[in-house]
Amino acid sequence: MMDSASVVDVGRPALRWRTLSRSLRGGLKGGEYTWAVAFLVPYIAVFADPIYQSSVVNTVLYLALGVNVKMFLALLLSGFFIRPGWWMKVLLLIFVLPWAVPQISTFISIHWMLNGEWGFLNNVLYKLFHIEGPSWLNDRWMALGAVIVSHIWKWTPFWTLILLAGRMAIPLEIRDTARVDGATGMRGFVYITFPLLANLYLICTLLSTIFLLGDFNAVTFVSGGGPANSTHVLATLGIRDAFEIAHPRLGVAAVMSALPMVIPLVIILMRKLRTAEVQL
């Protein structure tokens, strides 16, 4: 009896360990469990950095506002620039110039324009309205807002051109038939134009989101991640951790923590391109 009891007692820890292991794995097996662990490890490392949580909030706001406002404006402006006339072509050329200028010089110029003491914007406010402008880049939310507006201003022309090309590809027969049926103005946009552009708009939105997740130029050169590292996004936080404070593993973990957002977007985009035709 003593020997059998001893065997049972010895075997209980191993049994409990196997039970715990199965409960942690859930229904995951093999490679699925390995991928799950790979996704979790970066989060365990980056929570040691107090700036990480604010960077996640900034990234979500950057994506939500930067992508949606930019794409909505591009959709509206594509309808404006499709109108005929030589003067419309001139306006389109001027409108595209911000996108044609190199990013770094653009964002550095915006940074100096927002200087609280002698920046261009505050000087204009004082000259015209005798108003003392705020220190735009010394407040977290104003600095983050400046970054988002800078990104929207820089990249809206590019997506406007893409959607403008989509509008121009809509056959004239469809437009003429819609006008005959009374689908003009807003009705024509809701029932004819937007349904034909919906797939293109979705694909552009997915691409814009993926590009923006990896973009660090606007934050780096407009706000510099300040004030007090409060406007970092995941892309710039990874660079800060890896190079400025010399913690490469923490920097890689911060960047890798964005993968759960990137991979579903890439999968949706690939499936959309594979299974659905972009209707123009």
Side-chain angles (χ1 to χ4, degrees), residues 8-219:
V8 171
D9 292 337
V10 171
R12 281 176 180 172
L15 179 61
R16 284 196 294 267
W17 172 252
R18 286 195 297 268
T19 303
L20 177 61
S21 178
R22 282 195 296 268
S23 64
L24 291 175
R25 284 175 176 266
L28 301 178
K29 297 179 181 180
E32 295 177 347
Y33 181 73
T34 303
W35 277 107
V37 172
F39 280 131
L40 288 175
V41 167
Y43 291 103
I44 296 173
V46 294
F47 275 112
D49 186 357
I51 305 173
Y52 176 76
Q53 295 182 11
S54 64
S55 299
V56 172
V57 174
N58 295 339
T59 303
V60 172
L61 290 174
Y62 194 26
L63 290 174
L65 296 176
V67 172
N68 291 296
V69 174
K70 174 181 61 185
M71 295 307 301
F72 181 71
L73 288 175
L75 181 62
L76 296 181
L77 289 169
S78 66
F80 173 77
F81 286 116
I82 200 174
R83 294 187 294 179
W86 64 268
W87 59 276
M88 190 60 63
K89 296 179 181 178
V90 174
L91 286 178
L92 180 61
L93 177 62
I94 297 173
F95 176 72
V96 171
L97 287 178
W99 171 64
V101 176
Q103 291 189 59
I104 296 178
S105 57
T106 299
F107 293 138
I108 290 177
S109 299
I110 293 174
H111 172 83
W112 291 116
M113 288 171 61
L114 295 176
N115 184 279
E117 296 181 4
W118 40 265
F120 173 77
L121 183 56
N122 281 358
N123 279 330
V124 169
L125 290 175
Y126 184 78
K127 293 290 184 181
L128 296 180
F129 307 104
H130 299 287
I131 297 175
E132 292 288 345
S135 298
W136 301 96
L137 301 179
N138 289 340
D139 177 79
R140 175 188 178 184
W141 301 114
M142 284 197 295
L144 184 61
V147 170
I148 295 173
V149 171
S150 301
H151 172 83
I152 292 173
W153 179 78
K154 172 67 178 175
W155 286 103
T156 297
F158 173 77
W159 297 108
T160 301
L161 289 178
I162 300 297
L163 295 176
L164 177 61
R167 283 179 180 266
M168 295 175 66
I170 297 176
L172 290 176
E173 295 81 6
I174 296 178
R175 300 180 192 175
D176 294 336
T177 303
R179 292 191 185 98
V180 172
D181 293 338
T184 58
M186 183 59 68
R187 287 173 57 86
F189 174 78
V190 173
Y191 295 106
I192 304 298
T193 304
F194 187 72
L196 294 174
L197 289 176
N199 285 327
L200 178 62
Y201 186 85
L202 175 60
I203 289 174
C204 289
T205 301
L206 292 172
L207 284 172
S208 177
T209 305
I210 294 170
F211 294 160
L212 190 54
L213 267 172
D215 177 54
F216 61 90
N217 287 324
V219 176

Side-chain angles (χ1 to χ4, degrees), residues 236-252 255:
T236 58
L237 182 65
I239 295 175
R240 167 195 173 268
D241 292 341
F243 297 102
E244 294 183 15
I245 64 174
H247 284 289
R249 289 179 293 181
L250 196 61
V252 172
V255 175

